[in-house]
């Protein structure tokens, strides 16, 4: 019983991770300029290299959590 509850909890977390990663991937692939705020509170923009790194990370999450 307890094992089933734990498996259900993990499955829900994976589904949530999957949905978030898909949404984030869509944003990354949209081509729109993405901004962020650094530790000093200054606004910056995501470089293409960072965008590609994040895209790869989201694709990895999708591969593992959306199967």
């Amino acid at each position: 019983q307890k094992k089933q509850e734990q498996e259900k909890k993990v499955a829900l977390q994976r589904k949530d991770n999957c949905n978030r990663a898909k949404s984030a991937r869509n944003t990354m692939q949209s081509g729109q300029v993405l901004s962020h705020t650094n530790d000093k509170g200054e606004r910056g923009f995501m470089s293409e290299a960072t965008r590609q790194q994040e895209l790869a990370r989201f694709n990895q999450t999708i591969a593992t959590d959306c199967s």
Side-chain angles (χ1 to χ4, degrees), residues 32-48 50-51:
Q32 66 186 7
V33 176
L34 299 174
S35 65
H36 59 86
T37 305
N38 66 18
D39 295 338
K40 297 178 183 177
E42 301 167 333
R43 187 173 178 193
F45 297 95
M46 185 177 287
S47 69
E48 186 59 31
T50 302
R51 181 187 294 262

Side-chain angles (χ1 to χ4, degrees), residues 1-2 5-6 10 13-14 16-18 20-23 34 44 48 52 56-57 59 62-63 65-66:
Q1 181 72 25
K2 194 169 188 174
E5 290 175 15
Q6 182 66 21
V10 169
Q13 288 173 336
R14 287 175 58 132
D16 185 50
N17 287 343
C18 173
R20 286 190 217 202
K22 284 181 176 180
S23 177
L34 299 174
E48 186 59 31
Q52 291 304 316
R57 189 170 65 88
N59 283 331
I62 290 166
D65 287 356
C66 297

Side-chain angles (χ1 to χ4, degrees), residues 20-34 51 55 58:
R20 286 190 217 202
K22 284 181 176 180
S23 177
R25 180 183 64 181
N26 290 341
T27 300
M28 290 290 160
Q29 291 176 330
S30 71
Q32 66 186 7
V33 176
L34 299 174
R51 181 187 294 262
L55 191 56
F58 296 135

